[in-house]
Each structure stands twice: as structure tokens, then as C-alpha cells.
């Protein structure tokens, strides 16, 4: 039975006051559309009744009274109807693998299927300039044309289209050099990216100026640069489809975090599998066709018509995109084709709506058509290896630390760090042509980092390109084949990993210094000759000396620049366009970026010059009220002593008890048994943890300057004093007076470090301090910790950082007396936390890495997952 407008109006509650114009409009909506479900009817009409003064209770009762109008179909119709509803244009467009960048109708700013529309829309993208004819067409189709998303996607991105970036009111403009045949040049089979004159601006601030963006197919790139230069913005502009001119044939995926709209009740493995929208939609089509053929044959006609309509809508969305973007004769042809496709879409819609909701008996021709469609869908599922998808997803989750049992838990049971691992698993599962990873190691422990770098090196296809932003030096050295440096609004490319990049930059600087020195020496010799000849000419009046002077003067002009190019060929002005001030190439020595200095205050001296500052004696710890763990207490009978100048590192996977040891040392946790002793109450501890950094998000109005003045009123009585102290940690200028909740991750880390070391503590406890810090800051922190005379305890998953701080490379230069003293103070010790115990690693970080690699292989081979 089909609901009529007359029935709808007749059953309206007496409290609903609708004028004639609204009633007429409602009637046209209801009679003009064949609503297949009560929810669809309510979605279209509810807001009119709300305006008429009906509350939620009355609305629920009214729509419940209309249920009988939708209950007269054959048994099982509701399942078919729900299946048809799932096959919407939004998801269908996202599942395309060619010639579709997400401009599907009715999908503007919508997330993946099953997710609610995001409310917050902080990002505004600059519209593409269009011709007059295109503007007319765009106005006509504005209700159905959507903004571009992450390539022709299988995408698990956290947000799509114009709402991609964060930052209230930010206007991001990203474009590159284009020709009038722009669209044709982009839709090719090549997976290489080579864009000229790429520009990215945030408001009036430029991030890239006429840069070259060049990604060779099958290459892994490490993107480096100081915090704030725009690395993440560049990746987002590419991944969210905002860079005008970027190839549309590439399946591009940018992973930052798990979408907030992801249903919390989904299991981990379901979340990974549903990221592949193409597979999900094909599976839905296959299931729908099977049910219609085997269980509800009367619904077979309606099912096939619905599928045909959805496919034509995808074709229409693609054609609208071409008609809007193309101009000239190609644009006119595209608009003519659009009229044809619009007619096809209208006919498909009418054919679908003409089928009664109760269904009809299918003819032999319809049965054959349905079986052909089913066979086609089945073949596509075989092509994308849908049968092995779940096994592949579970294998990835094992490597990232999810046990088989945890893979079937709902995602709401996992913390933010583990949800980031799920998002990373989605990215690896989808296998896009271009994978963009922004700080993937931030939420991973060292075993997971080792597994990820090995996976990227060994398991990617030959034509798959990866761009990684990471401040983990060891990770970049392992995965990078080329380095892209973002500096001074330009992108520079260097073959090799990060260490090779640094060596080449150092060698290049030395070579330029040698060239400049040689040129200066030659110039000085020629100038001395000129001066000598001029002096002789002035004394003797020999005019012939003038010819010698003129000859030497020309030679001096040639020596104003280097006469060879970087490739070793001779420089000729005629081969290089532009105006030249000199006859050679001017040798420009690159000004190195200033090093980051972190001023750690000297620890205050303690009376008696104690040997031991803090000691943990036979401590066992379990969280009060927590259920007993199968593996026993968090910590079992551990002992540890901190001496002056100690350098201790605690290594192990997340959840093994490292942070618990730090809390015991800081006095924030009380042992279940055993004791934690301090030399005296005067021993001051500076404790840096991610919890302390996250707490800064709660200060939506208070700045770092005001925080320092309120927390340490004796030391910082004026703003100038507080800002001077914060400025020494790189929190300078406007950053010092902005609300702390608005600061970036790196800026918050600097503020937290400044608070941690205030007052000169004798002991520094640093738990994951390198998160969000760039390489230059990490290097500055290493130098500062080496010069710090107090004790340091580190928890970090950055192997390079731990080795640099805790494994002294200059031990051979120490005297026997110093060696004995250091051994007594237990400086430079690496411990592994495993099974609630502390194990000293004589081989340091390298020994730990070797053992983790071996355990990873053993765990993956046995099917039990990565050991934790």
C-alpha cells in the first residue's frame, strides 16, 4: 500500500496548525514520491510538523499511527527495503576504482556509510574558478554535486572534502600549474606525480611557493622539516582532494586518526573491513540479489531497477564533474553528454518508482538479467580477493599488537592510541596507490614500530608510493628511499635515507666552501696582478700594460662565479634563460637552520652529596580495585636505584608497566608491597608525561604565561619574567599569550617541559617526551640531557633518542677512576620491562631490537599475534 497525502493530513494531531500553503506543499511531496519506509517519510516531513508546534512525544505517536501504511508488502519485504536503502549513491560513488574523485550526487560533506554527518565545519576551501557556462550548470546541479574526496577511493580517512583541515576559520588554497587540457592529462594510467608551480596558502601565509611536487611510482619518501613549516597541511591538501591539479586516477589515502563518526559498537576487524567501501558495497549487492532471487522473487524487479538507478546516478555524478570543469569545445561536448545521462537517470528513476512496493512476478528476462548481475558482482568480488580480505585484515591487526581475542572486541573498549592503530590497519589494508602517513609512530610502541617498518619495506607492491612524516630517525632511515625537505616554501629532493641526506648536505656544504675558497684565492691572485701591472704602468708610462690589465679584468669577471654546473658541465650563459649578473654561477652557501637549544636549569645541590637519590626496594604493584590479571601484578618484586648523573631507559611495549614505575618514582603511586625511598624531602623530581601534556587542553582561556605566573608566583611576578623563561624553550611571541588549548602538539610539549624542569629538579622523569617534537628539537634535547648533571629516567619508543642519551659513545676516553664512578652510579643502563620484572640489557637498545624482531616473527608464525 502507498501512503496518500489525504491519509497523512487526515491523521494529523489536532494540535498541528498548518496553513493552506504548507498543506499543499506537503501533499505535493507525499503524492510526488513513493516513500518506501516510514523513516524516509519522517525525514522529509518532520520539520514541518515541528514548526507547527508538535513535541517529540506527539510526533512519535503520529508516525506510529502511519505504520500500517507500510506493512502490507509481502513477508520479508522490510529486509529487501533496508538492503535497497543501503545501496545509496554516496557509498556507491566512493566505491568506484576509476574516474571518480567523489563528486557523487547527494553526498556533499557526508562521511562513510553508516556514519552521521559531522557538525563541526571549521575548514573553508577556495572554490575552483569556472567559466560562465559552467557556473550556470553548477547552479543547476548544486544540490547534487559534491565536493572532491580522497581520490577514487577505498578510503578510511577521518574526514573528507572541504572539512578536512582543523583550525577555526582557516582558508586553505592549494593549486598547481594547469593547462587547458588539464583534465585529459590527469586521467592516465601513470602512477607518477609531477606537478609544477605548486602553491599552498593558509589565509595570507604561504606554505609552498611555486614548488615542484614529484612522487615517483613505487618509492617511499620521508618528508622532513621543522614544526610549523606545513608538512601535515601538504599531506592533507593531497589526501583530502584539495590540491587542484593533482592526478585523479590515483587512489590516495591520508590517515591521521580513526573517524570520530565510526560506530563504537563495531568490532576491530569489522572496522578495518568496512574501510574498503568497494568490497562492502559489492557484498551488499551480492547479498541483496541473492535474497531477492532465492527468498523474495516478487521483489526481484524492484531490486534490479534500484541497482540500475544507482549505477546511472554514479555515471551522472561523474559527467556533472566533467561538464563543470571543462571549457571550450570539450566543455560543450561534455554538457551535451550530460543532458543524455540526465535523461538516462530520470528514466531509471521512473522505472524504479513504477514498480509497486508489494512487488510483481518476475519474467524470464528479468530472472536472466538478475543472474547476469549476480555473476558480474561475483566476478568483481573475486578480482578484489574479497574472500581473503578478513584473513588479511586479521594478519595486519596481529602485527599491530591486537590479539585474536581483541580483534573481535568493539572499538569503544580501546584508548585513543589503540584506535590510531586501527586507522593505520585500515590504511595498510586498503593498499592505495599513494599512502600518506602523518606521524604514524606517535601512538605505537617500539615493537609495533619495528613491525610497521618491516611491513612497509617487505610487503608493499612495486608501484605503491608512500610518503611518511616522522620524527623517529631510525624509522625514517629504515623506510625512506628518498628524502623530501620542506624549507623556505620549497620542496627539495635527496636520494637515500635521512642519515645519507645529512651526510650529503654536510659534504655539499664542504664542497661549496672549497669552491668559494678556491675562487677567492684565484680572484686575489688576479687582482694582485692587476694592481701590480697598474702600478708599473703608472710609474713607467708604458701604455702596453693597459692591454694586460684589461685581459686580467675580464678574467676577474669570469671568476665572479663558478664555471661548472652541479652536473659537472661547463656553464654557458646562452644555455640558461634569464638575466645574468655574472659570467659564472654564483655559489650560494646554504645557511644552516639554527640549532635548537633547551636550557635545563642546574639541579640544586643537596647537603651531604648523597650517592642514592631515590630507590625502589622489592616493590610489587597492583591497581586497587582492578580485577586480578592472568599474568599477575603489574610489577613484581622489582628494585631500582637512582644515583646522581644516572641515565636509565625503560623499554617495553605499551601496558607492560613502564609508566607505573615512573609514577612510583614520582611519588604519584603507592606500592602494594615493598618501599620507595628518597634521600630526603629536598630531592625534587620533574615528571613529564603525556597526561601532563593532555591536561593543557583544558586551559581554553589561560595562556602559558599566565599559568607560570599563577603556579609559581614567587619566581614569576611579571609577564616579562614568565615570557623570558618560556621563550628560552621556544615558546615565544604570540604563542606565549595564546590559550594553551589552541597550541600545537609540539608547542604544548615545550610548555610541559618548561613546567617540568622549573626550579632545578635533581631527577628528571621523561615519559614519551619526543612525541610531537621535530628532529631539531629532539637533537637539542639530547644535547641538553647530556649536559644535565642530575639523574634522568627515560621511557621512549624512539631508539635513536634512547641510544644517544643513555649509551655513552665516549666511554673509551674516560679515566679508570671515572669509569669506576660511573659504574657505581649506574649511568647509561637500559632495562626491559616484561612480565612485571626488570631485565638489564647489557647490549642496550640493539639487544632489545633484536629480541623484539625474533619474538615478532615467532608470534606471527604461531598465529598468536605479536607478543606484548
Amino acid at each position: 500500500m502507498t501512503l496518500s497525502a489525504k491519509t497523512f493530513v487526515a491523521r494529523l494531531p489536532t494540535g498541528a496548525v498548518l496553513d493552506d500553503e504548507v498543506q499543499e506543499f506537503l501533499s505535493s511531496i507525499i503524492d510526488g514520491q513513493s516513500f518506501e519506509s516510514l523513516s524516509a517519510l519522517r525525514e522529509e516531513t518532520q520539520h514541518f510538523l515541528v514548526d507547527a508546534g508538535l513535541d517529540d512525544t506527539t510526533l512519535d505517536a503520529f508516525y506510529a499511527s502511519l505504520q500500517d501504511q507500510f506493512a502490507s508488502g509481502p513477508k520479508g519485504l522490510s529486509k529487501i527495503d533496508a538492503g535497497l536503502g543501503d545501496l545509496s549513491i554516496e557509498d556507491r560513488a566512493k566505491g568506484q576504482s576509476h574516474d571518480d574523485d567523489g563528486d557523487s550526487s547527494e553526498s556533499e560533506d557526508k562521511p562513510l556509510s553508516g556514519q552521521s554527518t559531522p557538525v563541526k565545519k571549521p575548514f573553508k576551501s577556495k572554490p575552483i574558478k569556472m567559466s560562465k557556462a559552467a557556473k550556470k550548470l553548477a547552479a543547476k546541479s548544486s544540490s547534487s554535486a559534491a565536493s572532491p574526496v580522497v581520490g577514487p577511493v577505498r578510503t578510511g580517512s577521518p574526514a573528507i572534502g572541504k572539512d578536512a583541515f582543523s583550525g577555526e576559520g582557516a582558508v586553505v588554497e592549494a593549486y598547481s600549474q594547469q593547462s587547458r587540457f588539464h583534465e585529459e592529462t590527469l586521467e592516465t594510467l601513470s602512477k607518477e606525480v609531477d606537478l609544477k608551480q605548486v602553491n599552498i596558502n593558509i589565509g595570507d601565509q604561504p606554505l609552498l611557493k611555486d614548488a615542484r611536487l614529484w612522487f615517483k611510482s613505487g618509492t617511499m619518501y620521508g618528508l622532513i622539516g621543522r614544526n610549523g613549516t606545513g608538512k601535515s597541511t601538504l599531506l592533507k591538501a593531497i589526501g583530502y582532494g584539495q590540491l587542484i591539479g593533482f592526478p585523479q586516477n590515483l587512489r590516495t589515502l591520508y590517515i591521521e586518526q580513526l573517524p570520530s563518526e565510526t560506530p563504537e559498537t563495531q568490532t576491530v576487524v569489522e572496522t578495518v573491513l568496512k574501510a574498503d567501501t568497494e568490497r562492502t558495497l559489492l557484498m551488499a549487492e551480492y547479498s541483496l540479489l541473492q535474497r531477492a532471487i532465492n527468498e523474495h522473487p516478487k521483489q526481484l524487479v524492484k531490486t534490479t531497477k534500484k541497482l540500475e538507478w544507482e549505477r546511472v546516478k554514479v555515471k551522472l555524478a561523474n559527467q556533472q564533474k566533467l561538464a563543470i570543469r571543462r571549457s571550450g569545445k570539450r566543455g560543450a561536448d561534455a554538457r551535451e553528454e550530460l543532458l543524455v545521462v540526465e535523461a538516462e537517470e530520470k528514466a531509471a528513476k521512473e522505472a524504479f518508482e513504477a514498480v509497486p512496493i508489494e512487488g510483481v512476478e518476475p519474467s524470464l528476462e528479468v530472472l536472466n538479467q538478475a543472474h547476469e548481475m549476480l555473476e558480474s558482482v561475483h566476478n568483481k568480488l573475486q578480482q578484489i580477493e574479497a574472500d581473503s580480505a578478513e584473513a588479511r585484515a586479521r594478519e595486519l591487526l596481529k602485527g599491530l599488537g591486537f590479539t585474536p581475542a581483541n580483534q573481535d572486541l568493539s572499538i569503544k573498549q580501546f584508548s585513543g592510541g589503540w584506535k590510531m592503530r586501527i586507522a593505520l590497519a585500515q590504511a595498510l589494508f586498503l593498499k592505495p596507490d599513494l599512502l600518506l602517513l602523518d606521524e604514524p609512530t606517535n601512538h605505537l610502541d617500539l615493537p609495533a614500530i619495528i613491525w610497521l617498518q618491516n611491513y612497509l619495506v617487505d610487503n608493499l607492491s612495486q608501484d605503491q608510493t608512500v610518503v611518511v612524516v616522522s620524527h623517529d630517525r631510525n624509522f625514517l632511515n629504515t623506510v625512506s628511499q628518498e628524502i623530501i625537505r620542506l624549507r623556505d616554501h620549497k620542496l627539495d629532493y635527496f636520494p637515500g635515507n635521512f642519515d645519507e641526506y645529512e651526510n650529503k648536505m654536510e659534504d655539499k656544504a664542504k664542497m661549496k666552501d672549497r669552491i668559494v675558497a678556491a675562487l677567492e684565492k684565484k680572484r686575489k691572485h688576479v687582482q694582485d696582478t692587476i694592481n701590480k701591472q697598474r702600478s708599473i704602468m703608472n710609474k713607467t708610462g708604458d701604455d702596453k700594460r693597459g692591454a694586460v690589465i684589461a685581459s686580467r679584468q675580464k678574467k676577474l669577471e669570469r671568476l665572479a662565479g663558478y664555471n661548472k654546473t652541479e652536473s659537472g658541465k661547463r656553464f654557458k650563459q646562452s644555455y640558461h634563460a634569464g638575466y645574468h649578473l655574472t659570467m659564472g654561477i654564483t655559489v650560494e652557501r646554504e645557511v644552516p637552520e639554527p640549532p635548537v637549544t633547551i636550557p635545563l636549569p642546574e639541579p640544586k645541590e643537596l647537603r651531604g652529596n648523597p650517592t642514592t637519590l631515590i630507590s625502589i626496594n622489592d616493590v610489587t604493584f597492583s591497581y586497587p580495585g582492578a580485577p586480578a590479571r592472568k599474568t599477575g601484578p603489574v610489577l613484581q618484586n622489582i628494585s631500582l636505584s637512582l644515583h646522581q648523573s644516572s641515565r636509565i631507559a625503560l623499554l617495553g611495549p605499551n601496558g607492560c608497566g613502564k609508566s607505573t614505575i615512573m609514577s612510583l618514582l614520582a611519588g604519584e603511586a603507592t606500592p602494594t608491597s615493598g618501599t620507595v625511598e628518597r634521600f630526603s624531602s629536598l630531592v625534587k623530581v620533574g615528571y613529564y608525561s603525556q597526561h601532563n601534556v593532555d591536561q593543557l587542553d583544558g586551559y581554553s582561556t589561560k595562556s602559558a604565561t599566565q599559568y607560570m605566573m599563577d603556579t609559581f608566583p614567587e619566581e614569576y611576578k611579571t609577564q616579562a619574567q614568565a615570557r623570558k623563561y618560556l621563550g628560552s624553550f621556544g615558546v615565544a611571541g604570540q604563542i606565549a599569550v595564546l590559550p594553551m588549548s589552541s597550541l600545537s602538539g609540539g608547542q604544548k610539549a615545550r610548555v610541559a617541559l618548561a613546567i617540568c624542569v622549573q626550579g632545578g629538579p635533581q631527577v628528571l622523569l621523561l615519559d614519551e617526551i619526543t612525541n610531537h617534537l621535530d628532529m631539531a628539537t629532539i637533537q637539542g634535547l639530547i644535547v641538553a640531557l647530556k649536559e644535565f648533571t642530575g639523574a634522568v629516567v627515560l621511557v621512549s619508543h624512539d631508539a635513536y633518542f634512547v641510544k644517544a642519551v643513555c649509551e655513552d659513545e665516549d666511554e673509551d676516553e674516560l679515566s679508570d677512576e671515572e669509569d669506576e664512578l660511573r659504574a657505581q652510579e649506574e649511568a647509561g643502563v637500559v632495562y626491559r620491562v616484561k612480565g612485571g620484572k626488570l631485565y638489564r640489557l647489557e647490549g642496550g637498545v640493539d639487544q632489545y631490537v633484536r629480541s623484539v624482531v625474533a619474538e615478532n616473527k615467532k608470534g606471527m608464525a604461531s598465529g598468536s599475534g605479536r607478543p606484548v
Side-chain angles (χ1 to χ4, degrees), residues 237-252:
I238 297 170
Y240 291 136
Q242 296 300 324
L243 179 55
I244 298 172
F246 196 83
Q248 298 171 12
N249 62 293
L250 289 182
R251 294 189 299 115
T252 304

Side-chain angles (χ1 to χ4, degrees), residues 535-740:
S535 175
I536 294 173
M537 185 179 68
N538 291 337
K539 287 180 181 179
T540 63
D542 185 1
D543 293 338
K544 292 182 180 179
R545 300 282 179 178
V548 178
I549 293 172
S551 174
R552 293 295 184 270
Q553 195 67 46
K554 285 185 178 180
K555 186 174 183 180
L556 189 63
E557 289 176 4
R558 287 196 297 273
L559 290 173
Y562 193 48
N563 62 355
K564 287 188 178 181
T565 63
E566 288 191 1
S567 60
K569 296 180 180 178
R570 185 174 179 179
F571 174 78
K572 293 184 179 180
Q573 286 184 341
S574 58
Y575 290 0
H576 298 269
Y579 182 77
H580 299 274
L581 295 173
T582 63
M583 297 181 67
I585 300 174
T586 303
V587 181
E588 296 180 356
R589 284 180 287 188
E590 191 174 85
V591 179
E593 293 179 307
V596 176
T597 56
I598 297 178
L600 298 181
E602 281 293 315
K604 295 181 179 179
E605 291 188 10
L606 297 171
R607 292 180 184 177
N609 195 22
T611 303
T612 303
L613 300 177
I614 304 176
S615 64
I616 295 178
N617 306 307
D618 201 25
V619 163
T620 296
F621 180 86
S622 297
Y623 287 102
R629 304 196 320 168
K630 293 181 180 179
T631 55
V634 178
L635 300 173
Q636 301 181 57
N637 307 113
I638 67 165
S639 297
L640 183 67
S641 295
L642 295 188
H643 308 289
Q644 292 185 11
S645 302
S646 286
R647 297 292 183 271
I648 296 176
L650 304 176
L651 302 180
N654 290 340
C656 68
K658 304 185 302 295
S659 295
T660 304
I661 296 175
M662 300 290 266
S663 297
L664 289 168
L665 291 170
E668 294 185 0
T670 304
T672 306
S673 65
T675 60
V676 178
E677 298 177 352
R678 291 195 186 189
F679 167 74
S680 78
S681 59
L682 297 177
V683 174
K684 186 175 181 180
V685 175
Y687 184 22
Y688 177 101
S689 69
Q690 286 303 305
H691 176 67
N692 296 341
V693 177
D694 295 339
Q695 281 183 326
L696 300 181
D697 287 327
Y699 296 100
S700 57
T701 58
K702 184 177 288 189
S703 66
T705 300
Q706 191 60 47
Y707 180 91
M708 297 300 294
M709 293 173 65
D710 293 345
T711 310
F712 310 103
E714 294 298 322
E715 291 85 351
Y716 308 105
K717 297 178 180 179
T718 65
Q719 271 202 6
Q721 291 175 323
R723 293 187 70 170
K724 181 180 178 182
Y725 176 71
L726 290 168
S728 64
F729 287 85
V731 186
Q734 283 295 109
I735 299 173
V737 294
L738 289 174
M740 288 192 284

Side-chain angles (χ1 to χ4, degrees), residues 91-384:
D91 288 335
R92 165 64 72 186
K94 291 178 185 178
Q96 295 305 300
S97 58
H98 296 288
D99 300 328
D100 177 17
D101 67 355
D103 285 345
S104 55
S105 64
E106 303 176 9
S107 66
E108 182 169 357
D109 297 326
K110 289 186 179 180
L112 300 179
S113 177
Q115 302 173 6
S116 59
T117 304
V119 176
K120 186 177 180 183
K121 294 190 175 184
F123 171 71
K124 305 171 188 172
S125 63
K126 210 160 193 176
I128 300 171
K129 294 181 180 178
M130 298 182 289
S131 63
K132 288 182 180 178
K135 285 180 180 177
K136 248 188 215 180
L137 181 62
K140 175 183 175 184
S141 59
S142 60
S143 62
S144 59
S147 57
V149 297
V150 187
V153 293
R154 297 175 182 180
T155 173
S157 298
I160 61 174
K162 66 184 181 183
D163 298 327
F165 296 101
S166 60
E168 239 6 93
V171 178
V172 177
E173 182 182 20
Y175 57 92
S176 62
Q177 183 188 59
Q178 300 176 70
S179 72
R180 59 180 298 187
F181 303 108
H182 165 69
E183 191 75 22
E184 284 186 350
T185 59
L186 294 184
E187 295 179 359
T188 67
L189 295 177
S190 173
K191 293 185 179 180
E192 182 167 326
V193 177
D194 191 2
L195 299 182
K196 309 291 195 308
Q197 296 182 16
V198 176
N199 292 268
I200 297 180
N201 305 310
I202 298 183
D204 296 330
Q205 180 184 359
L207 297 181
L208 284 182
K209 288 183 181 178
D210 294 333
R212 181 188 185 187
L213 184 65
W214 186 22
F215 298 149
K216 291 177 283 188
S217 177
T219 304
M220 285 193 283
Y221 293 93
L223 178 59
I224 63 172
R226 290 282 179 96
N227 282 345
T229 54
K231 301 185 298 297
S232 295
T233 304
L234 172 60
L235 294 192
K236 288 179 181 179
I238 297 170
Y240 291 136
Q242 296 300 324
L243 179 55
I244 298 172
F246 196 83
Q248 298 171 12
N249 62 293
L250 289 182
R251 294 189 299 115
T252 304
L253 181 60
Y254 170 72
I255 283 293
E256 185 182 30
Q257 59 185 0
L258 195 66
S260 58
E261 299 84 11
T262 305
E264 291 285 305
T265 54
Q266 273 184 188
T267 66
V268 174
V269 70
E270 283 175 348
T271 303
V272 175
L273 289 172
K274 286 187 177 181
D276 188 347
T277 54
E278 181 185 11
R279 174 186 173 276
T280 303
L281 285 164
L282 287 173
M283 295 286 285
E285 281 189 8
Y286 190 80
S287 174
L288 186 65
L289 285 167
Q290 270 200 326
R291 282 208 312 270
I293 292 171
N294 299 327
E295 301 174 20
H296 311 289
K298 285 191 175 183
Q299 293 300 315
L300 192 56
V301 176
K302 197 169 187 67
T303 299
T304 55
K305 296 300 181 186
K306 175 66 173 179
L307 293 179
E308 288 174 352
W309 181 28
E310 291 297 337
R311 291 172 181 178
V312 175
K313 285 201 291 186
V314 173
K315 184 180 177 181
L316 174 63
N318 292 334
Q319 193 60 39
Q320 283 174 336
K321 174 191 67 177
L322 296 181
I324 289 173
R325 292 190 176 181
R326 289 182 176 177
S327 60
K329 186 177 184 305
R330 294 170 65 247
D333 293 342
R335 286 187 286 277
E336 285 182 10
E337 179 65 23
L338 177 62
L339 295 175
V340 176
V341 179
E342 282 180 341
E344 290 179 10
E345 191 272 338
K346 184 179 179 181
K349 179 182 178 182
E350 291 173 351
F352 168 71
E353 292 177 345
V355 182
I357 192 169
E358 61 269 16
V360 295
E361 289 292 339
S363 63
L364 182 61
E365 182 182 353
V366 171
L367 284 171
N368 290 336
Q369 181 188 9
H371 281 287
E372 287 175 3
M373 293 177 74
L374 187 66
E375 185 180 0
S376 173
V377 172
H378 178 71
N379 292 337
K380 289 180 181 177
L381 286 171
Q382 284 188 322
Q383 287 174 7
I384 65 173

Side-chain angles (χ1 to χ4, degrees), residues 370-575:
H371 281 287
E372 287 175 3
M373 293 177 74
L374 187 66
E375 185 180 0
S376 173
V377 172
H378 178 71
N379 292 337
K380 289 180 181 177
L381 286 171
Q382 284 188 322
Q383 287 174 7
I384 65 173
E385 300 178 347
D387 291 342
S388 63
E390 183 171 345
R392 188 158 52 89
R394 289 187 180 276
E395 191 75 9
L396 287 170
L397 289 168
K398 283 180 190 177
L400 290 169
F402 291 90
T403 63
N406 286 344
Q407 294 173 19
D408 294 313
L409 296 177
S410 61
I411 63 173
K412 66 182 178 182
Q413 300 185 43
F414 294 89
S415 64
W418 284 95
K419 286 181 179 178
M420 181 61 202
R421 296 188 187 206
I422 298 173
L424 186 57
Q426 287 181 326
L428 299 175
F429 175 71
L430 292 175
K431 293 185 177 179
D433 299 322
L434 176 60
L435 177 60
L436 309 173
L437 298 176
D438 193 356
E439 294 290 359
T441 61
N442 266 6
H443 298 279
L444 302 181
D445 53 25
L446 193 50
I449 291 172
I450 294 169
W451 177 87
L452 176 61
Q453 65 189 27
N454 291 339
Y455 183 89
L456 292 175
V457 171
D458 299 332
N459 294 84
L460 296 184
S461 59
Q462 291 184 351
D463 58 352
Q464 195 170 357
T465 306
V466 180
V467 182
V468 178
V469 172
S470 177
H471 298 141
D472 187 321
R473 190 184 186 109
N474 278 12
F475 181 78
L476 272 185
N477 280 334
T478 304
V479 304
S480 299
Q481 296 169 325
E482 290 196 26
I483 293 293
I484 306 174
R485 184 186 64 181
L486 175 51
R487 182 184 176 187
D488 299 330
H489 315 302
K490 297 291 183 184
L491 294 172
D492 299 306
Y493 299 82
F494 304 88
N497 61 24
F498 185 76
D499 280 348
E500 290 169 335
Y501 154 76
E502 281 198 325
N503 293 335
K504 285 173 185 174
M505 292 303 296
E506 187 177 347
D507 293 343
K508 195 174 182 180
K510 289 179 180 177
M511 181 188 72
K512 286 188 175 182
D513 288 340
R514 289 195 297 269
I515 291 172
V516 170
L519 285 174
E520 286 298 325
K521 186 177 179 181
K522 290 179 181 179
R523 285 173 59 83
K524 185 177 181 300
H525 175 71
V526 173
Q527 187 65 54
D528 289 345
T529 303
I530 292 172
N531 293 340
K532 184 178 179 181
Q533 294 296 330
R534 185 175 285 121
S535 175
I536 294 173
M537 185 179 68
N538 291 337
K539 287 180 181 179
T540 63
D542 185 1
D543 293 338
K544 292 182 180 179
R545 300 282 179 178
V548 178
I549 293 172
S551 174
R552 293 295 184 270
Q553 195 67 46
K554 285 185 178 180
K555 186 174 183 180
L556 189 63
E557 289 176 4
R558 287 196 297 273
L559 290 173
Y562 193 48
N563 62 355
K564 287 188 178 181
T565 63
E566 288 191 1
S567 60
K569 296 180 180 178
R570 185 174 179 179
F571 174 78
K572 293 184 179 180
Q573 286 184 341
S574 58
Y575 290 0

